[in-house]
Amino acid sequence: MSELPNFDNFFDLSGKVALVTGGSRGLGLHTATVFLRAGAKTVFITARKAEGTQGINQAVDKSNALPGIKGKAIGIAANVAQEKEVQRLAQQVSDIEPKLHILVANAGATWGGPFETTPDWANQKVLDLNVRGVFNVVRSFTPLLEAAGTPQDPARVIVVSSTAGVNVPHVGEHGTIMYSASKAAAHHLARNLAVELGPRNITTNTVAPGFFPSKLANGLIEILGGEEDLKKTNPRGRLGLPEDIAGVMLFLASPVAGYM
Ligand SMILES: NC(=O)c1ccc[n+]([C@@H]2O[C@H](COP(=O)([O-])OP(=O)(O)OC[C@H]3O[C@@H](n4cnc5c(N)ncnc54)[C@H](OP(=O)(O)O)[C@@H]3O)[C@@H](O)[C@H]2O)c1
């Protein structure tokens, strides 16, 4: 028999403080939700828009109404593609919490269209958020992560990349070349961060989702023939569900993933 001490707390986030960029909807909101449901003390939800049906405020309200949660969600609006905004966000978070145990760099942008006519502004937007933004967010929060991490239970950085970062998903009329390149960069950025920050008791992992219905993905899903057609191209015969991403995020943030 193996003892497996603390088995009951394997996925317990009690007392933990987390921040999810792009937490107002989609994969980020699934992530913020699972952290709260697993007992997190504070989950910062950040995105650009505060108001509206897709904004931070509705996400915070819904999150704080979850039954049985012990902690709370706090919303802070910030554009994480801009360094000054990232620094302000880090300052505002540190005014509320002196430590950050879990940082999810999830906010991302995409652009699709033909190679020849891809506007440079679109490439800049994608790279500014998906690459520079991830670097700046992690760098600005490193002091808070370092304050939280211990040798036994390191702080966590989770970078949300994409399967587009490891293959060539779409070229031609609906090409996503710079998105794919930006996600490949995000993968390698995360590898570098893992080596840079590991000795400071901060682990870094990358999650590379396939297709999940969301505001970001729905346009491309429709262009590619809709959910039913796209399902057939997936070895599991379906698209992602909220619990698929929530389970991975909970594992990577949990006490038992400290050696990942
Ligand atoms: N859904 C998929 O099929 C899929 C597959 C692979 C990878 N991913 C990745 O998963 C991540 C989340 O995507 P999603 O599908 O959940 O998209 P989504 O539903 O459109 O959510 C994107 C989130 O990012 C926020 N955001 C966008 N630009 C921002 C900025 N400059 N600063 C701060 N926040 C910003 C959005 O809020 P505001 O607009 O208010 O800022 C929103 O909260 C992205 O990195 C994406 O590349 C998604």
Side-chain angles (χ1 to χ4, degrees), residues 76-114:
I76 303 177
N79 182 345
V80 294
Q82 295 180 3
E83 192 190 7
K84 281 208 162 45
E85 288 271 286
V86 173
Q87 288 166 348
R88 175 187 52 84
L89 175 67
Q91 183 60 52
Q92 280 184 257
V93 169
S94 70
D95 289 345
I96 301 169
E97 291 284 359
K99 295 180 180 182
L100 183 68
H101 301 90
I102 305 156
L103 171 62
V104 183
N106 162 78
T110 188
W111 192 88

Side-chain angles (χ1 to χ4, degrees), residues 88-186:
R88 175 187 52 84
L89 175 67
Q91 183 60 52
Q92 280 184 257
V93 169
S94 70
D95 289 345
I96 301 169
E97 291 284 359
K99 295 180 180 182
L100 183 68
H101 301 90
I102 305 156
L103 171 62
V104 183
N106 162 78
T110 188
W111 192 88
F115 170 62
E116 278 82 0
T117 54
T118 301
D120 192 50
W121 65 258
N123 287 340
Q124 191 171 352
K125 179 181 164 178
V126 165
L127 292 170
D128 278 357
L129 182 59
N130 299 4
V131 188
R132 282 184 51 244
V134 175
F135 181 95
N136 286 330
V137 165
V138 177
R139 182 169 58 180
S140 292
F141 281 97
T142 293
L144 289 188
L145 291 163
E146 232 173 332
T150 66
Q152 297 75 25
D153 192 9
R156 315 297 163 84
V157 171
I158 305 171
V159 176
V160 179
S161 182
S162 169
T163 52
V166 286
N167 59 29
V168 177
H170 311 288
V171 294
E173 196 188 348
H174 306 298
T176 52
I177 293 178
M178 196 54 85
Y179 176 75
S180 180
S182 77
K183 292 301 189 178

Side-chain angles (χ1 to χ4, degrees), residues 22-60:
S24 60
R25 60 174 188 257
L27 304 190
L29 185 54
H30 304 323
T31 300
T33 303
V34 78
F35 288 171
L36 282 167
R37 294 199 59 182
K41 174 181 170 244
T42 307
V43 177
F44 291 98
I45 291 179
T46 179
R48 287 167 304 176
K49 288 186 288 294
E51 308 294 336
T53 55
Q54 309 266 337
I56 299 168
N57 295 346
Q58 56 83 32
V60 167

Side-chain angles (χ1 to χ4, degrees), residues 207-230:
V207 173
F211 268 117
F212 283 71
S214 76
K215 184 161 187 266
L216 177 142
N218 286 349
L220 190 56
I221 291 173
E222 282 317 305
I223 285 167
L224 297 173
E227 279 194 34
E228 286 313 309
D229 274 9
L230 212 53

